[in-house]
Amino acid sequence: MELRHLRYFVCVADELHFGRAARRLGVSQPPLSQQIRALEQILGVQLFDRTSRKVTLTEPGRLFLEEARQTLAQADRAINVAKRAARGDYGRLSVGFNPSAAFVQDVAHAIFVFRQSCPDVEVELSELSSGEQVAALAAREIDIGFLRSAFPPVLPDGIVATRILEERLHVAMRPDHRLAAKKSLAFADLDREPMILYAWHQKGSFAGQLLETLHADGVQPVIAQDVGEISTLFGLVAAGLGITVLAESLCALQPAKLTYRPLRGRRALSSMWLIASDQPTPAAANFLAILSASRSEDGPG
């Protein structure tokens, strides 16, 4: 049995006249009659009582009509879902991000605009480390990712990276810390300083890359605490347990009135990277277009 059989049956049931139903369907009457007889043979049930003067539904036909309408309606819904998913305005968009991504203006704006323009796409946000994002994207567990790295990330085939922001690193500390008296800092100022780090042991983490850069410059900070939450990071710095280094985007936060000082030098820069499949899903393609438009409006980042 095909959907065509159901559509023919419903039309005849509506008209109770094979000639009118045939004209409505745009077919000739004999093939229509043949299709109805074929449907009855498939079901092993007589759906219509036919006389030379009128056509009426049998009781099984009347009950079958209700189910046929529901089946056709569900089929139409399924077709609509497939078409909308192909346009990228239905389904799911899974985004991996690092803690500072939400504070990047273009990223936050793109998420807002996407949710407004595609309300039937479920946006799933997951905080993941850089290594976790790459693995999840390769496994198609996420559609796009935002990770922070001082240099282009190493990615498997089929995944591309785009730098969306480059910004300076800052040192966060209590206002009464001795380094707060300086307008800017050099890496050498951090030597032997107790530091609070965010998940530095994770593969490809921002803190891990920072430590590699400091060690390459002969700077040996003291790791006072490794934390897994940004709120804990700021709280421990505010409590005076150490200083921390973070991207400029996070300086918008002002917990406990911390003081921020920029780090000097070309190596004291950090980039936010967008990673995505080179063949994105329709929903991901729509989001990428929105993000690209937002960046174009802002000019070079």
Side-chain angles (χ1 to χ4, degrees), residues 167-170 185 187 213 262-270:
E167 56 187 345
R168 185 155 297 281
L169 299 179
H170 284 63
L185 301 172
F187 280 153
T213 301
L263 279 165
R264 299 189 299 271
R266 178 65 192 172
R267 287 163 60 82
L269 295 174
S270 177

Side-chain angles (χ1 to χ4, degrees), residues 8-28:
Y8 284 4
F9 165 72
V10 169
C11 189
V12 174
D14 286 343
E15 297 292 342
L16 292 177
H17 190 283
F18 277 82
R20 289 196 298 269
R23 288 192 293 273
R24 179 173 151 189
L25 291 167
V27 299
S28 59

Side-chain angles (χ1 to χ4, degrees), residues 128 131-143:
L128 301 171
E132 289 171 336
Q133 286 188 46
V134 174
L137 190 56
R140 296 189 176 276
E141 295 171 356
I142 62 173
D143 299 305

Side-chain angles (χ1 to χ4, degrees), residues 3-301:
L3 288 177
R4 170 170 49 88
H5 291 120
L6 297 183
R7 296 190 191 280
Y8 284 4
F9 165 72
V10 169
C11 189
V12 174
D14 286 343
E15 297 292 342
L16 292 177
H17 190 283
F18 277 82
R20 289 196 298 269
R23 288 192 293 273
R24 179 173 151 189
L25 291 167
V27 299
S28 59
Q29 184 173 334
L32 174 59
S33 298
Q34 291 172 4
Q35 291 297 321
I36 296 300
R37 282 196 295 270
L39 176 60
E40 290 176 324
Q41 290 174 359
I42 292 169
L43 298 176
V45 171
Q46 184 177 342
L47 300 172
F48 294 101
D49 283 325
R50 307 167 180 84
T51 69
S52 59
R53 311 185 87 179
K54 65 177 181 178
V55 176
T56 59
L57 282 165
T58 63
E59 181 61 13
R62 185 184 66 81
L63 295 174
F64 183 67
L65 176 61
E66 181 179 339
E67 300 299 327
R69 290 191 195 280
Q70 292 181 18
T71 299
L72 290 173
Q74 180 60 48
D76 288 341
R77 284 194 291 271
I79 292 170
N80 183 55
V81 164
K83 289 181 177 180
R84 294 187 63 196
R87 295 195 301 266
D89 60 12
Y90 189 88
R92 187 191 72 162
L93 176 70
S94 184
V95 181
F97 66 98
N98 85 321
S100 63
F103 297 94
V104 175
Q105 182 178 354
D106 285 341
V107 175
H109 178 70
I111 292 174
F112 173 79
V113 173
F114 181 82
R115 288 176 62 87
Q116 299 301 307
S117 60
C118 301
D120 292 327
V121 176
E122 177 187 1
V123 179
E124 183 181 87
L125 301 171
S126 302
E127 184 176 330
L128 301 171
S129 69
S130 297
E132 289 171 336
Q133 286 188 46
V134 174
L137 190 56
R140 296 189 176 276
E141 295 171 356
I142 62 173
D143 299 305
I144 58 176
F146 293 99
L147 58 84
R148 185 171 288 283
S149 176
F151 42 80
V154 177
L155 301 171
D157 292 341
I159 300 177
V160 294
T162 303
R163 191 201 312 264
I164 62 172
L165 176 70
E166 184 178 62
E167 56 187 345
R168 185 155 297 281
L169 299 179
H170 284 63
V171 178
M173 68 199 87
R174 285 175 54 93
D176 56 1
H177 193 281
R178 65 179 185 83
L179 294 178
K182 298 186 177 184
K183 291 184 178 181
S184 64
L185 301 172
F187 280 153
D189 293 319
L190 308 184
D191 193 44
R192 304 301 174 183
E193 279 291 328
M195 292 186 66
I196 313 296
L197 298 179
Y198 177 82
W200 72 271
H201 59 284
Q202 291 183 347
K203 181 180 178 180
S205 69
F206 165 77
Q209 292 182 15
L210 172 66
L211 287 177
E212 291 177 2
T213 301
L214 292 176
H215 292 159
D217 278 19
V219 177
Q220 298 294 329
V222 177
I223 302 177
Q225 187 71 43
D226 177 43
V227 301
E229 299 289 340
I230 290 295
S231 57
T232 305
L233 178 76
F234 284 116
L236 295 184
V237 173
L241 271 69
I243 63 174
T244 194
V245 176
L246 40 78
E248 188 173 358
S249 298
L250 286 173
C251 294
L253 298 176
Q254 294 291 333
K257 298 181 180 179
L258 294 180
T259 294
Y260 302 94
R261 294 291 181 264
L263 279 165
R264 299 189 299 271
R266 178 65 192 172
R267 287 163 60 82
L269 295 174
S270 177
S271 294
M272 181 68 70
W273 298 86
L274 162 72
I275 60 172
S277 168
D278 58 5
Q279 295 182 327
T281 66
N286 285 350
F287 179 85
L288 294 174
I290 290 172
L291 178 62
S292 177
S294 176
R295 295 179 61 217
S296 296
E297 292 173 2
D298 292 344

